[in-house]
Amino acid sequence: MTQENTSIDSLLVNIDQAAKLIGVGRTLFYSMHSTGQLGPVPIRFGRRILWRVDELKRWVQAGCPKRHQWIKK
């Protein structure tokens, strides 16, 4: 029996992972989220605040529009 290397790519990430994914620091990411410069809206699970990886990637590919523009799409 052989073991396969399996990796699970996260569908949701926390603020630190989301900031790293788009290439900014945690403080800037939080500031962008608070001021509406960050398009994607997080999902809340109890106390956890998570962002969808696929949405963050699409947002960057779309040119990082502000939240009000992103939501219209």
Side-chain angles (χ1 to χ4, degrees):
M1 178 184 253
T2 61
Q3 285 185 328
E4 292 182 34
N5 286 338
T6 59
S7 70
I8 298 174
D9 292 325
S10 296
L11 299 175
L12 300 170
V13 292
N14 65 27
I15 191 168
D16 293 321
Q17 297 164 318
K20 186 175 180 180
L21 183 65
I22 67 167
V24 299
R26 183 182 204 270
T27 303
L28 178 57
F29 187 89
Y30 184 76
S31 175
M32 291 170 65
H33 168 62
S34 296
T35 62
Q37 291 179 314
L38 180 68
V41 178
I43 298 168
R44 294 183 184 268
F45 284 112
R47 292 182 156 184
R48 296 193 69 191
I49 300 173
L50 304 169
W51 280 264
R52 293 177 48 193
V53 170
D54 63 328
E55 186 175 12
L56 288 168
K57 289 179 179 180
R58 286 193 324 267
W59 176 73
V60 170
Q61 290 170 344
C64 304
K66 293 186 179 186
R67 182 168 295 137
H68 71 276
Q69 295 169 322
W70 179 249
I71 290 174
K72 287 180 183 178
K73 291 184 176 194

